Amino acid sequence: MATNTDFFDRVFEVVKQIPTGRVTSYGAIASYLGSRQSARVVGWAMNASHALPEYIPAHRVVNRNGMLSGKNFFGGSNIMQELLESEGMVIEDDLIANFKQHFWDPSIELNNKD
DNA sequence: AACTTGACGGTCA
DNA sequence: ATGACCGCCAAGT
């Protein structure tokens, strides 16, 4: 199918596959889906994810700096940070410590290269 | 129907 | 190293 709005659904599929204690970036997901520059749309998908009947670990998705750019969307508090810390990571000033160490790249982990 | 904004990212100056 | 602009796609006004 691969319709334009399918991008959202694919984003959800990937995010739902992020293992606990791991994080990824909007750009990584976008790149995995084939649209490097559509990282912003990934963020929009996250916004819509909270309306889904399923649980989308959007707190495991941060920007390429490992910064909790969307923490404001988790109720206005640092729920996002607490969730990540609860999963074993360390957050400092809304920034994930050892971000690279916890980074989960769908292009690698899912290895979707036919 | 058109314009602006947005949970991003890379390149250029 | 820092700042500004462009590109991408969808949603809100």
Side-chain angles (χ1 to χ4, degrees):
Chain A
M1 318 304 198
T3 50
N4 31 22
T5 45
D6 255 0
F7 195 93
F8 272 53
D9 295 299
R10 294 185 188 210
V11 171
F12 301 142
E13 290 296 296
V14 175
V15 175
K16 285 191 294 188
Q17 289 175 79
I18 302 175
T20 306
R22 299 283 182 193
V23 288
T24 191
S25 65
Y26 306 94
I29 297 172
S31 183
Y32 171 68
L33 298 178
S35 300
R36 169 177 62 90
Q37 314 225 43
S38 53
R40 330 180 66 151
V41 187
V42 176
W44 266 108
M46 297 289 89
N47 190 350
S49 75
H50 100 95
L52 293 181
E54 303 197 64
Y55 174 63
I56 309 295
H59 60 275
R60 294 180 193 150
V61 185
V62 296
N63 65 8
R64 82 109 183 150
N65 291 309
M67 189 177 216
L68 283 54
S69 40
K71 67 162 198 156
N72 290 305
F73 287 61
F74 275 79
S77 303
N78 16 331
I79 302 226
M80 187 175 186
Q81 176 175 333
E82 292 183 38
L83 282 168
L84 290 170
E85 290 185 315
S86 186
E87 295 187 356
M89 3 214 126
V90 180
I91 315 297
E92 268 189 55
D93 192 39
D94 297 332
L95 186 71
I96 299 176
N98 305 309
F99 171 61
K100 199 172 186 176
Q101 183 180 304
H102 293 289
F103 190 62
W104 181 84
D105 193 336
S107 301
I108 297 174
E109 304 300 324
L110 300 182
N111 214 330
N112 187 46
K113 52 169 266 200
D114 187 57

